[in-house]
Structure formats: C-alpha cells, structure tokens
C-alpha cells in the first residue's frame, strides 16, 4: 500500500488541527456544494450522452471546447467523494456516486470507449487530437475514480468498465506497427495506469504507462515525424493556426514534448502537465521498472530546476499566464502588474503528488519541506474557510486587474474538485513506509513527513500492527508528542527536521542527533524503550526572501511552514496593493493566537510593530527614465511614512473576511537604520 | 523650414566630435557598404519587377513575406544618400540613386501604383491586408525619399511619380462612401504625408494624413466593424490564425488601433509603429490643423507614460520581444534571461523624431533630454565604429542566448538604413527655430537642444541671416563656446540646461538665471552686447537608477548624456555576464580620456577603483524556493570578492573591440559599508 490514495484509509486526523478542520468543511459543505454545481452546470448528466446547449458554445480557448473535461470534473468528484465517504457516510453523496457510476457504465460504447465529447459532439473523430483534446486525460481521471470507488465499495461497478476501456487503449496505443504512436497532450493517464498496475499486476497496464512516458517527445515517432506534428498534418491544420496558449509558432515545450523527458534540462511549459508527467515518471522510477536508467536523474534534475529557480515563496509554480506555466529561471514576479504570477492550484497539488512519489525512493527533506510548504500555502489558499469558494490562480500580490479573491466555480473547473480529492487523501501524505531500511536487516521504517495530530496504522513485513499517534498543535506550535504502539522490535522511525529550523530537541534524547538527509532516524532500540517521546521544534516568525537573481528585493514573513501576507482588511489605509510598503529586516514582530469571529478559524497572526514597516512615496519619484541615485536615496529615506503596526495573516487565510482584495506576500526591503541619515 | 530633414541643410558639424566622426564614417563606409548589400540581396534590382527566388521563401514571421519592405529599404537608403551627397558628392552613390529612381519610375503602374510585392508576387490583391502587409508604410518611405531627393536635386524625378501615387491613394482612402476606410498597420505614411503637405500645400495631402490618424481605432468604421476585423473577414481569415507577434487572440493593440489614439491611456504594442504614429500626430498638433483638440493631450499622455514607465536607462523602449514593443508599466528587465529587453534601434530613432516634433510646440527639456539620451545611447550603440555592423535589438545586459554584438545585415533590415538617414539629418536636431516667441513682439527664437561643435544658419522673419556657432568637446566636456552672428536685434536664444546637471555657469552672466521649462532664455539685449558667450555645465560621473517600481535593484554609471556599460574586454575575469557584479553607491570613480588603439575612437572611460565593486556568489545561495534573510544577509556580506578595478566604456561603444559579448549596464546595488558587519 504505497499510494496516499490508499494509505490514508489507515490514517485518522484528530479533530482540531487546521487540516482536520478543512477536511471537516469539505465533508460537510464542499461535497454537496460541488455536487450541486455539477448538476446545475450540466456536468452531472453529461454521461447520459444527450446534447447540452453549451456544446455549441465557441471555445473560450481555441481549440478546447468548454465541456472538454467534464468527464474529469465528474471523475474527480467521485474520487474525492469516495475518500470522504469512508469516514462519514452520507446518503445523498452515496446515491449520487451510484447514479454517476451507472451513467458512466451506460455511456460505455460496445468496444469499451468512454468519452463525452467524442461520443456526443464529434463522433468518429476519436484520438485525432491527442495534443489538445483531453481524451486520455479524462480516461486517467476515470481510472483514478474507479480505483477509489473499488477501494471503498469493493465492487467492480466502475473499475470493470474502466478495465474494459483500458483494454481498448492498450490495443490502440503502443509501439506496434498498427498501433498509434501517440501520447496525451495533458498527462494524467500515465500515473493512473501505474496505480492501476499496482492493483491489477497486469503487465499491459505498466507497459502502456511506460510507453506514454518514454515515447513522449520522440522527434520521429510517427513515420519519421514528431507525433504532434504528424497529427496536426492529418487534421490539415495550418501551421499559422495556433492555440492562444502557444507563445511560439512551435510550442511543443508547452506539452513537455519538445524532446524526451530524460533529455530535458529545464522544466518548461504548462505546470500541471509537467507535474502529472513527472509524478508518473517518479512512480515508474520507484517501481524499479523504468526501461531507461536516466529517468531517475531526469526527474531529479527537473525537480531541482523547478524548486531552485521557478518556485514562489508559497510553493506556487508557474509565472506565466499565457501557457499556465513556467517562465525563465528566476523570473518570479508577484503579480500581474509586475510581469505575471500564475501559481495554479492544481500545479501546487501536483508538486505535492510528485514530492510524495520521490520520497518513496529518495528520503530527503528537500522534497518533504516543499511538500509541506505547498500544502499549507499554495494549496490551502485555494479554498475558502467554509469550502465553497475556490481559486485557480494564486498570485503573491494583488493588482487592480487581479484582486485577491475566490470564485464559486470556473468554466475550466479542474481546481475545485482537485482540492476535494487532495484533502480527502491528505492523511496519506503524513507518513510513508519503507519495508526495508537502506542498510541492515529487513525491517520497517516509518518516515514521518508531516506533523499533524493523527493516528497512522501500518503493518510490518511480518504482519504485525504498528500504530503511530501524533499529538500536536502544528503548524502553530512545534511540539509534537508521539506514541508508537507495536509488538514488533523491527520498527524504526524517520522524523523530518524541517530545513527552516536551526534547532530542535528530542525528549528522551535519541541515540544520535546526526540527521540523514534532514531526517532523524530513531532505531528500534530507542523506540522499544521509549514508545512515547516528544519532538520540539521552535516555531517563531522568520523573514525569508527569494533568490537574489529573481530581482525581487523583497522580504516575506513566515512562521513554521506558514507564509504570511498583508491584507487590506487588517490594514485599511492601503491603496496601492502594498506595492510601496517596506519592511526592515531588523523589524520587531509580535505574534498572537487569534480566533477569527467571522470564520471561527484559529491561527497565529503576526504584527510588525514599532515602525518596523513604512510606506515609501514612489509616486513622487520622477524617473524619466532614470533618477540620480543621490537624490533618490535622499528622497526615499526622507519621504517615508512609518507604519506603527503592520498586520499579517497566513496566506492561506486571505480573502476570507471581505475587504477590497488588496494583498501582498513579499514586501520591499527597507533599511530603517539609514532613515533620515543621508550618508552617500 | 521646420523639419530636421530640411533644416540640417543649413547646418554643418565641425569635425572632431563624436557625431561628426560617426557621420564621416557613414559617408565614407556605410553608404557604399549598404549599397553593396542592397545589390547582393536582390533589393537593389527589386524595382525592376522581376521574380526573385526569395519571393518563394516561407515568411520568417507569418504572414509577412521576407521581402515585404524591400521598397522601404531602398527608399531609406536613397533618402539617407541624398542627405550625405549634399556635403560629400560621391559619383558611385550619385549614379546608384539615379538608377534606383529610374527603376522606381518604370515600376510605377499606369494608375500610379508603386509596390514590389503586389505588382510581382500577388498582383490583384492590392490593399487587401493593410493590417500586416506594409504597403502604405513602403509608400511613406518612398515619399520621404522623394522629398529628400527633390531637396537635393531640385527635380521631380522621384517626387513626380510619388505625387501621382499619392493622388491614387487620396482617391482610394478616405471617409467617402466609395472609399476604403482603412489605415496602415505600420504607420509611416502619415508623417510623410504631413511633410509632403508642408512642401506642396496641397490640402488633400493633409486630409489623407489626418484621415489615417483619426480613423485609426474606429470600432465601427467599416460598415459597423473595426476596419481590421472586417478586412480579416474579407480575407476569410480564421480567427485562430494568428501572426506570431500577436500575444493575444485579439491584438489590435499591437497596431495601436485598439481604440482611437485620443482615447488611449497607455502606450502599447509595437514600439516603432507607436513612435511613427505619434510623430505624425505631434506634427498634426504642431500644424494647428488637428480636427480633434484632444490630440495634443493624447500625445503628451502617451509620451509621459512611455518615458516615466516604459523607457530604459539608455532611452531604449520596448521590453517585449514577441511584439517588439511595450510591456507593462515599470517592466524593464535588462536582458533576455531576466524577462526580456528589446529596445529596437528604429524605436529609439522614433523617440528622437517624436521629441523633435513636440519641441516645435512645447519647448521643455523633458523632451530634449530624452532626445539626447536616445541619440548618444540607444541610437549610437546600433552601429559599429566603422559603420558596417549594426544592431536591431539593444539590450542592457547580455546573456548566453543574446550576446552583445552587431550584425552585418538583417532579413528585416529596417534598422541599418534608418541609422543612415538619421545620421544624415542629425544636424537638424541641434536647434529649432520659433519665428515668434511665446510672448512679446514678433521675433525669432533659436532653441538649442543639443550641444555639438557646429554652425547653424537661420533666417529671421524679415529675411536677415542668423548664424549660431558652437565650439565644444561635448559630450566629454560641458564647456560650450557660442557665437551668434546676425544683424537682427530681434533674435533670442533658448539654451537647454540638462535635467541631470545640478549647476551651470554662463559667461558673461545672463540677465536672469531662471529657467523656463529647463531652458535658459537669452534675450536680444544680452545677445547684442555679447555675441560670444560660454556655457559651462559640469560633466562628471553620476550614478543613476531606474524607478523603484521596476524591481531592478541596480545602479548604472553615467556621465553627461552618456550611459556606461561594463564589457568582458575590459574585465576579462567575467563569466556570468556581470550578473553577480555589485556596485556601491559610494564608490570612487576615476575618469580617463582614452583613444582606443583599435578603432581610433576617443572617449572618456570610467573605472570604479578601491574595491567599490564586488562579486557576490549567488551560486552558493540555495533558495529552495526561499532563503532565510539572516543567513542570506550574512552570506552575501561575507562571501563577496571585491574587485579592485571595474572598467566601464560608453554603452554606444560596446561590441567594437572583440571579446566574448558579455556586457551589462545596470549593476546590482551593494552596501559596501555593511560588508563583514552582520548586525541583523
């Protein structure tokens, strides 16, 4: 059971934590809210294969019909619902899942094919536009839904039809002479097929996933041509007819198909596609069944490039709106009016998925630190406190054209049900299990990546039960009380010591305090004598900044894994989206535990006091097009209004309490000490 | 005679100055070099209307055929040649001009039409793609060539055919029911027609220019539709077929035709098009014949937006490569690897043209300061010291993919002949004449915008000669000796005191030292008693920076109007395009007059000495994706290598002496005082 989609079944979150609270909200509000939206928008009934008026609408983004991923919207909701139904049976949800599954069954064509668009709107055109029409992507999400459904209901009502569909796909796609040598423009089916293989052990499921991953980017796979080039020619597509998301006349990089994955040096293109592809690639590496040994270093290289050069302070990825994806190395403006910022919700979820897969074979906190960063910031910020409003884009600074706010739904509605299924299975991200340690005798090592009040169950190789309980007020406090309950004396634990902490304490003292790739290893001897122990990680406000090469001369406040922002609700004087607000690196920060009266959410707020922040007056700076440094320095030091108290809330909590939508994470760096002193 | 294309005929540059030197090089090398290229590439013979093999080539940038502006390449060379032939007759150039004019004559169709593409390649398709096919742009350049030709030769060999062509255009385009309600995708003909009107006083020339300017952006000009929308429909163009330079599915802003000019709030789109359009608009304002009083404030608003928010330290404009134009306000990265930088040569020339036109009705140094900035930096940098290599893009920092270097020619060759004609007429930019002062009795005021060793002749309203002589080593020294020779007692002078100087001295003392919009006005009384006088403006190295909102935490060295850069030739240790080099705002700068042994050019070089510059080591900064400020500050202050001597040369002089093409204008700001002191 190595997938969080399955391990979470043996995990319970103890009520009271931020994660537990968000899960409860999904269970009580979001599932029903989204079901209602699915019904209102026509998605719910779409598998009945009747014509829907919106099928005639011109596409918002050519050539993608607006309903193209309705299959996946439904599939993701089913998948998420199945995760929540385990703990909290709800007859309405149960009935809807059942009805949807019946519709999908009856939507299946005699040969196994399942797809709304190509059955209702363009029959006869199946698999003619793998590049842009999300046919295989939809199939992937249906497979994931089927796995979740099967796991909950232990029947084949959905898995059966999907296996039949996959059989068809295995016949159609592959290296054979009469097979199609293509692969999906939007990866997703690859990771689904690998999970399917883990369940079925049917070699052809592995083979098809492997084929999709390794054939991708082959410059001559289709009779000497790149598959997408040959396919476009078959569609008689003019080379000058270009989707809006192509920034170039040749934008194969948008699909991560400009060259084989193992040869790609930097991460490019659509960020969600990149994450789903790399998650599958990492899972193939983990399985030990990759036909190309370079895949492991390829995944690692692209991860490093992403995290070191293309990731925001919040864990968000993707600066570029046009292609919803990665820009240049170190090009990370905070908002639209500074050059862009996308940081799509699904992409941040994808980073978590990828990190989790890599952690299965490379236990290193550089993956889990980022996984936690994404969870508490770029991901959690995407849903309102009550679970009924969502974001798609998660900028680090608002602007007049892009205010900080959430929406009820989207035409392209990938993100809201993705939140649903991520929060459904989030318990599976807390720990992973290694059945044998890297050295030494066969044993079980439980790797703890996230600190959350929870109860996680495992089984040793010899079938003995292991129960790990955590009690903590994380992320607000850094004290975690553990209890390990097992009869086995072969269990070790690895506890992540986050990269952002400079100290930590373990009580009782562990045999060694040397970390292995950022993890503290507790051997069976320690655990046998100390089944209960406490980890203390000091959590205090810290100032962080992005890499100097980003040309972002900014500071941001963080505390533990939480990144903070300023909002107009708490700083009502703001008029320019905090663009002129400055923070002194020596500023004094006061923290306070707050229970928000409106939302009931409890969090730690931060306030910069004693004039540690200020407003510069750049509107008075006339730089046409340059300004003398002497004069500018004098001006910027003289014309400053200090702010007595600047109030911060967690970034994930933004846009929950009204206000005008002005928000910012990174604030200009300001050397207060030199204020009034003009010493050039 | 209010156009520099004509006033320069009465101006001589005295040998020895930088501008005179560059003009001499054009006269002796560039004219013949470019003539040779015109011949080799097929441009020279193109007006013979024979098929050229390159006419079959697929366009580099759809839908523009590669030869589309060959007409204008030839026209601009003729125009430039005519400017230089006045002073320096050259039989070879003379013969070529003559032959080209004969070819153009014989290329004229019976109805007056002249255009290579639509006569040879696509006959029958005239005026079917005003949006992208530069038909009217070519006509504009041919009109300008004809004006220059007529001015030099005093015959109608070229002007005659062009007047016939313009007659045809006046019949085709206009508001009449049977006329075409269109306007050129690339403005140029507007400013040419206004100059033509100034010569011919033929009202229909003014009317056509006015129509093109005011009809542009009309949302319903073509039977209720925007002209370009209706035109695309007539071509049966798919809405999804998009030129590579469209960043959007609806990119009318690329052509400055998203709305009427008078309603545009910010400057957008292709920067050369914008400059040519605004130059024409400013000339219409100057003429007092604009039908819309809002045009003056419209031009002013767009100028301010451009200079305050979208102009580089060098005077270059346009950050965005895709549409060769303007990005967001304050989005001004220095090079490709930081988000872009275009700063096309023709656009900087266009800024000079626009500034010169505005100065005719609004004497304010905010225009002339920018005009001079462009001339000595963004423009002069575009040609090698010997006049045979050119740039198209003028970035402020090199990168591995875009080294700092010049090319021999371009497929789209607008820039090299534009340098030719600008340098040909540059004498006309030194002074302008106002026949009556803003107040007081009728008189002549000569406005001196540029300081160059020169002799400029004018005539008063009563026909009396005025000769203004300047002797100076500008831009290297700020002393300018003037002599005004005239029998009139009605002449006043306005001398620009540059915005970058904090002091200046006039000998003998003037009656008032109060400036009027940055100009010192010397009244006739002063000039009658002091026909010789001296202006002293201290010229010393200065540090400048862009507006804080650019998020460019950089300093650049300047001296007088010259902006400096660092090159690898003088700083051979550099490996990262000076990306990690830092400059202390308190640095000591040493200046030295240098005569470069390779090029023979004399200039003032600058050197930052005594460790006022340093190299940070960001390669050691691991920010995944953030870094703790405390640690980073310590690291960046500790891990610094000071540079004993950092050598700067004028930006215009870059890429003249070999080297590997590494160059940068703005260097990271660094507080040396805090080095080694970690006091957070």
């Amino acid at each position: 059971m190595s997938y969080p989609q399955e391990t979470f079944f043996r995990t319970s979150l103890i009520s009271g934590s931020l994660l537990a609270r968000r899960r409860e909200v999904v269970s009580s509000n979001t599932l029903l809210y989204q079901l209602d939206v699915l019904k209102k928008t026509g998605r719910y009934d779409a598998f009945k294969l009747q014509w829907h008026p919106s099928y005639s609408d011109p596409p918002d983004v050519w050539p993608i019909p607006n309903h193209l991923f309705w299959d996946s919207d439904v599939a993701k909701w089913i998948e998420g619902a199945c995760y929540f139904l385990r703990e909290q049976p709800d007859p309405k949800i149960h009935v809807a899942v059942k009805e949807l599954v019946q519709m999908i069954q009856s939507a299946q064509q005699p040969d196994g094919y399942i797809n709304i668009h190509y059955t209702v709107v363009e029959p006869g055109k199946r698999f003619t536009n793998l590049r842009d029409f999300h046919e295989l992507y939809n199939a992937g999400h249906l497979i994931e839904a089927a796995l979740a459904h099967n796991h909950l209901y232990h029947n084949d009502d959905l898995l059966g039809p999907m296996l039949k569909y996959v059989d068809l796909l295995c016949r159609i796609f592959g290296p054979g002479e009469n097979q199609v040598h293509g692969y999906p423009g939007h990866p997703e089916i690859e990771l689904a097929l690998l999970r399917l293989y883990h369940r079925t052990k049917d070699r052809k499921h592995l083979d098809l996933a492997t084929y999709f991953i390794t054939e991708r980017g082959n410059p001559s796979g289709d009779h000497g041509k790149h598959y997408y080039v040959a396919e476009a020619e078959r569609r008689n597509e003019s080379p000058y007819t270009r989707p809006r998301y192509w920034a170039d006349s040749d934008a194969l990089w948008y699909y991560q198909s400009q060259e084989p994955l193992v040869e790609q040096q930097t991460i490019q293109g659509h960020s969600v596609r990149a994450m789903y592809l790399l998650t599958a690639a990492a899972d193939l590496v983990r399985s030990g069944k990759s036909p190309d040994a370079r895949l492991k270093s390829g995944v690692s290289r692209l991860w490093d490039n992403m995290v070191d050069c293309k990731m925001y302070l919040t864990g968000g990825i993707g600066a570029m709106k046009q292609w919803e994806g990665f820009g240049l190395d170190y090009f990370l403006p905070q908002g639209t009016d500074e050059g862009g910022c996308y940081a799509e919700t699904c992409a941040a979820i994808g980073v978590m998925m990828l990190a989790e897969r890599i952690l299965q074979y490379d236990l290193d906190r550089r993956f889990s630190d980022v996984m936690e960063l994404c969870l508490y910031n770029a991901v959690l910020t995407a849903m309102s406190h009550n679970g009924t409003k969502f974001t798609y884009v998660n900028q680090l600074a608002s602007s007049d054209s892009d205010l900080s706010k959430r929406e009820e739904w989207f035409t392209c509605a990938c993100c809201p049900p993705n939140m649903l299924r991520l929060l459904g299975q989030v318990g599976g991200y807390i720990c992973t299990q290694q059945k044998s340690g890297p050295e030494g005798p066969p044993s079980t090592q439980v790797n703890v990546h996230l600190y959350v009040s929870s109860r996680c169950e495992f089984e040793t190789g010899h079938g003995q039960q292991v129960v790990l309980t955590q009690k903590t007020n994380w992320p607000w406090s850094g004290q975690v009380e553990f209890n390990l309950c097992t009869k086995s004396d072969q269990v070790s634990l690895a506890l992540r010591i986050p990269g952002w902490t400079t100290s930590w304490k373990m009580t009782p003292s562990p045999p060694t305090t040397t970390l292995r790739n950022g993890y503290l290893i507790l051997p069976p001897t320690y655990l046998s004598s100390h089944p209960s122990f406490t980890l203390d990680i000091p959590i205090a406000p810290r100032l962080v900044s992005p890499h100097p090469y980003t040309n972002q001369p900014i500071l941001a406040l963080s505390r533990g894994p939480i990144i903070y922002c300023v909002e107009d609700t708490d700083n009502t004087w703001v008029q320019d989206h905090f663009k002129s607000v400055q923070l002194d690196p020596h500023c004094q920060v006061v923290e306070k535990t707050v229970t928000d009266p409106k939302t009931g959410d409890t969090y730690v707020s931060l306030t910069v006091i004693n004039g540690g922040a200020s407003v510069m007056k750049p509107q008075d700076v006339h730089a046409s097009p340059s300004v003398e440094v002497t004069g500018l320095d004098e001006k910027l030091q003289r014309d400053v209004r200090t702010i007595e108290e600047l109030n911060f809330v967690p970034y994930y909590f933004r846009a929950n309490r009204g206000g005008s939508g002005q928000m910012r994470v990174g604030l200009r760096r300001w050397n207060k000490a030199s204020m009034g002193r003009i010493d050039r």
Side-chain angles (χ1 to χ4, degrees), chain A:
Chain A
M1 292 221 299
S2 70
Y3 292 97
Q5 292 91 337
E6 305 190 353
T7 53
F8 91 93
F9 270 70
R10 306 186 69 171
T11 300
S12 330
L13 266 61
I14 298 164
S15 190
S17 70
L18 171 59
L19 286 184
R21 191 176 168 88
R22 286 291 181 270
R23 287 191 88 251
E24 284 155 18
V25 150
V26 171
S27 202
S28 60
N29 297 353
T30 315
L31 272 168
L32 282 166
Y33 171 78
Q34 293 196 357
L35 176 60
D36 192 44
V37 176
L38 292 179
K39 288 184 173 171
K40 276 187 196 153
T41 57
R43 286 163 168 85
Y44 187 84
D45 288 320
F47 275 111
K48 288 184 180 160
L49 304 182
Q50 302 302 303
W51 189 269
H52 188 279
S54 79
Y55 295 175
S56 312
D57 291 347
D60 276 350
V61 179
W62 185 83
I64 313 290
N66 301 337
H67 61 279
L68 197 71
F69 6 87
W70 281 13
D71 316 51
S72 70
D73 294 342
V74 168
K76 281 150 82 180
W77 185 86
I78 294 173
E79 183 189 345
C82 288
Y83 297 151
F84 284 98
L85 281 173
R86 175 188 70 105
E87 286 169 2
Q88 193 117 15
D90 179 322
K92 272 193 230 158
I93 304 293
H94 172 76
V95 165
V97 168
K98 190 160 184 179
E99 191 178 29
L100 284 169
V101 166
Q102 282 164 352
M103 280 193 259
I104 296 169
Q105 282 170 0
S106 61
Q108 186 159 41
Q109 302 301 297
D111 62 354
Y113 186 78
I114 303 176
N115 182 280
I116 297 165
H117 178 82
Y118 284 109
T119 310
V120 181
V121 186
E122 292 197 278
K125 290 206 173 174
R126 284 182 193 180
F127 306 122
T128 54
N129 192 347
L130 296 185
R131 194 190 70 189
D132 296 299
F133 277 39
H134 297 42
E135 216 167 353
L136 293 169
Y137 166 89
N138 285 330
H141 276 301
L142 284 166
I143 293 168
E144 292 209 271
L147 287 168
H149 184 270
N150 170 272
H151 205 77
L152 179 71
Y153 291 105
H154 302 289
N155 68 39
D156 284 344
D157 290 358
L158 188 53
L159 190 58
M162 287 318 299
L163 284 170
K164 187 175 172 194
Y165 185 13
V166 170
D167 279 349
L168 174 69
L169 296 176
C170 289
R171 287 196 302 277
I172 292 176
F173 295 96
E177 208 175 319
N178 297 317
Q179 286 181 298
V180 176
H181 302 169
Y183 37 85
H186 197 316
E188 154 65 24
I189 195 170
E190 298 87 342
L191 68 88
L193 285 168
L194 288 170
R195 276 183 55 210
L196 186 66
Y197 168 69
H198 185 79
R199 184 82 58 88
T200 62
K201 306 289 180 232
D202 183 339
R203 177 83 201 187
K204 70 176 187 289
H205 299 157
L206 171 67
D207 289 346
L208 184 57
T210 307
Y211 181 73
F212 283 150
I213 294 169
T214 55
E215 181 62 16
R216 190 175 204 87
N218 182 347
S220 55
D222 189 331
H223 304 89
K225 290 182 178 170
H226 189 288
Y227 181 79
Y228 291 155
V229 172
E231 190 193 64
E233 287 175 6
R234 282 193 289 274
R235 288 195 302 272
N236 290 316
E237 204 168 271
S238 150
Y240 308 115
T241 306
R242 289 165 32 207
R244 190 162 70 208
Y245 41 84
W246 283 33
D248 242 313
S249 50
D250 169 16
L252 290 175
W253 52 264
Y254 170 81
Y255 312 91
Q256 292 85 39
S257 68
Q258 73 278 20
E259 59 196 335
L261 185 57
V262 291
E263 289 167 20
Q264 295 177 19
Q265 299 301 312
T266 59
I267 196 152
Q268 286 181 274
H270 190 275
S271 53
V272 181
R273 296 174 199 237
M275 288 308 96
Y276 287 14
L277 176 63
L278 285 175
T279 298
D283 203 26
L284 190 58
V285 171
R286 178 207 55 78
S287 74
K289 298 203 161 66
S290 170
D292 190 333
R294 296 173 300 166
L295 195 58
K296 185 176 177 181
S297 61
V299 170
S300 175
R301 179 170 61 238
L302 296 177
W303 170 276
D304 286 346
N305 176 237
M306 171 176 79
V307 174
D308 291 348
C309 307
K310 301 188 180 187
M311 182 172 273
Y312 283 99
L313 296 174
T314 54
I317 51 171
M320 310 307 290
K321 179 180 181 177
Q322 191 186 0
W323 56 91
E324 303 189 308
F326 297 104
L328 295 164
D329 279 1
Y330 300 114
F331 184 78
L332 294 165
Q334 292 194 90
T336 299
D337 65 352
E338 296 179 1
C341 177
Y342 206 69
E344 184 180 337
T345 303
C346 288
I349 292 173
V351 174
M352 288 185 64
M353 287 160 49
L354 173 57
E356 191 280 333
R357 283 296 90 190
I358 299 178
L359 284 165
Q360 297 280 348
Y361 62 80
D362 191 355
L363 185 67
D364 190 319
R365 74 171 171 208
R366 67 197 176 98
F367 306 111
S368 37
D369 276 0
V370 167
M371 188 172 84
E372 187 185 47
L373 178 75
C374 287
L375 173 60
Y376 281 111
N377 301 286
V379 172
L380 275 196
T381 201
M383 191 176 80
S384 64
H385 72 98
N386 59 353
T388 58
K389 287 193 155 196
F390 307 90
T391 59
Y392 191 111
V393 173
N394 299 289
Q395 303 194 322
L396 275 71
S398 60
S399 55
D400 286 348
S401 60
D402 284 305
L403 295 170
S404 170
K405 58 176 184 175
R406 298 195 184 79
E407 304 289 342
E408 292 178 0
W409 200 248
F410 307 94
T411 308
C412 170
C414 49
C415 300
N418 229 356
M419 284 299 289
L420 190 83
R421 63 186 199 127
L422 185 273
L423 287 171
Q425 62 180 275
V426 74
Y429 283 79
I430 297 173
C431 304
T432 56
Q433 186 182 9
Q434 267 169 264
K435 288 250 162 120
S436 69
E439 297 126 42
S443 62
T444 274
Q445 181 172 307
V446 175
N447 305 322
V448 185
H449 311 300
L450 299 180
Y451 300 120
V452 188
S453 281
S454 58
R455 183 180 184 281
C456 302
E457 269 180 45
F458 300 90
E459 225 169 58
T460 67
H462 304 96
Q464 282 181 296
Q465 205 193 29
V466 182
V467 178
L468 179 69
T469 312
Q470 299 185 40
K471 279 189 193 160
T472 178
N473 190 28
W474 196 277
W476 313 118
S477 140
Q479 188 178 80
V480 191
E481 292 169 23
F482 288 91
N483 180 273
L484 184 78
C485 178
T486 183
K487 286 186 180 142
S488 164
D489 58 1
Q490 293 285 307
V491 178
S492 58
L493 275 184
L495 304 182
R496 167 179 152 256
I497 306 299
W500 42 259
T501 190
T502 48
S503 67
W504 53 274
K505 206 180 92 188
M506 189 78 187
T507 320
S509 294
T512 172
T513 57
T514 309
L515 303 184
R516 195 187 289 163
N517 293 332
Y519 280 79
L520 174 69
I521 312 294
L522 299 176
T525 46
Y526 175 89
L527 295 168
S528 300
S529 8
H530 311 294
S532 292
F533 51 92
T534 303
L535 174 66
D536 263 299
I537 293 173
I539 287 194
R542 291 148 33 231
L543 282 168
V544 295
S545 75
H547 193 283
Y549 277 175
T550 57
N551 281 348
Q552 297 285 328
I554 54 171
L555 305 175
L557 265 177
S558 66
R559 188 178 179 282
I562 303 284
I563 301 288
Y564 281 74
C565 70
V566 279
E567 281 197 300
D568 62 277
T569 318
D570 306 302
N571 306 280
T572 48
W573 43 265
V574 70
Q575 294 187 326
D576 69 345
H577 302 272
F578 301 95
K579 207 164 175 159
S580 308
V581 173
Q582 314 179 109
L583 209 54
D584 179 29
H586 304 246
C587 66
Q588 254 183 284
V589 184
V590 171
E591 50 184 74
K592 195 169 135 192
T593 299
V594 174
T595 299
D596 177 61
K598 192 183 160 201
T599 63
D601 262 30
T602 298
Y603 57 85
V604 172
S605 75
L606 300 181
T607 304
V608 168
I609 57 164
N610 289 341
S614 67
V615 182
M616 71 161 174
K617 296 183 182 163
Q619 60 273 34
D620 303 337
V621 175
H622 190 63
S624 308
S626 71
V627 60
E628 308 289 322
V629 169
T630 317
L632 180 67
D633 283 2
E634 290 177 12
K635 180 155 197 51
L636 292 182
Q637 282 167 24
R638 190 182 58 229
D639 295 356
V640 149
R641 178 168 67 77
T642 51
I643 305 169
E644 269 322 296
E645 295 196 348
L646 185 66
N647 303 302
F648 292 73
V649 294
Y651 175 68
Y652 77 77
F653 191 60
R654 71 186 168 106
N656 267 324
R657 299 164 300 156
S660 65
Q662 300 206 29
M663 182 278 303
R664 185 168 296 258
V665 170
L667 302 174
R668 259 165 221 290
R669 190 186 174 120
W670 168 55
N671 189 2
K672 187 184 179 183
S674 68
M675 195 176 70
R677 180 167 58 88
I678 297 145
D679 59 354
R680 194 199 113 82

